[in-house]
Amino acid sequence: MRKGQYRFVAGFLLVPVALYLIFVIWPYIQTFGYSLTDWKGQSQTFDFVGLDNYKALFQDDVFLKAIWHNIQFLVFIPVITILLSIFFAFMVNVGGRSRAGGVSGVAGSSFYKIVYFFPQVLSLAILAVLFNAVYRSDGGGMLNGLLIKLGLVDPDSPVEWLNEPGIVRWALILVVVWHGVGFYLVLFSAAMQSIPRDVYEAALIDGAGRAQSFFRITLPLLWDTVQTAWVYLGIVAMDMFVLVSSMTASMGAYGGGPNHESDVMSTVMMRNFLYFGKSGYACAMGVIMLLLTLVLSVVTLRATRRERIEF
């Protein structure tokens, strides 16, 4: 690259890099700085306390419980969402191969794609309102009403889906999975359409079944897309603020009930920042969240790395 070209490229990069440093990197640096103080949020004065906030974090039972909840979401949300998305994408693209005309999706596959993708157009706030009605703890809720009609639940003691410690996190996981499956179905469908149909037809001629086609052809050729989806879903699992704070809001400031059984790191952080006025302490939580998310991304990319398959 000639000297003039360096100047040309640098001229285009200067403004975007400067904006990135100002609006992305600098806030991170400020947050780390505040995490070393006893800043109360409203006051412009604060004292340097060093690593005291970080020491207090690892003695905070609520925050440690929230980390464990995020880990549970981190395990179940990506696994369930990716498995369902790949299965549905496989069915709507190559699952109907027994029909005439070679390898094809099941009948009505275009319609199924629209139906599965529909939840993705709804915002998380709308989802929270919708599923609050589904999970109502009386006979008027969709789930309780159905179970009462089937005789599986006593009308006088319906299930309190969002107020039972053993159920509330699974209820939240169901919402995230229901919302995300459609998007990742479209993502995996796009990746599957790049796989030559000749590969599936050759496997069909050789007598391969659907399970063999999936595990020997589809999954290996989709691995890069699965890896990307896993990272994005992991980031979703590390957040969960909107759903937890909206769907369990009646159980305390920024949700988290019952008895902090649905708390995640983001809700604990916002509660300390805005409700308790412990802003420096909350900034330390934000730094820990950033570090955990970065570690998650690196570990996931390294753990799922494999030799690229060309076709």
Side-chain angles (χ1 to χ4, degrees), residues 271-285:
R271 190 180 302 122
N272 279 274
F273 189 86
L274 296 176
Y275 191 72
F276 296 136
K278 300 165 65 175
S279 302
Y281 187 56
C283 287
M285 293 183 184

Side-chain angles (χ1 to χ4, degrees), residues 68-82 84 119 124 127 131 135 143 161-162 164-181 233 236-238 240 243-244 247-248 261-264:
W68 172 242
H69 296 162
N70 275 115
I71 292 174
Q72 289 180 310
F73 290 140
L74 181 61
V75 171
F76 290 107
I77 288 175
V79 170
I80 298 173
T81 304
I82 289 174
L84 289 176
L124 291 177
L127 282 182
F131 276 89
Y135 291 141
L143 279 179
W161 301 99
L162 297 177
E164 289 287 342
I167 298 177
V168 61
R169 292 193 297 277
W170 288 106
L172 294 170
I173 289 172
L174 176 62
V175 177
V176 178
V177 171
W178 186 82
H179 180 252
V181 162
L233 285 167
V236 169
M238 292 294 287
M240 294 292 291
L243 284 181
V244 173
M247 296 185 64
T248 62
E261 289 296 329
S262 62
D263 253 331
V264 290

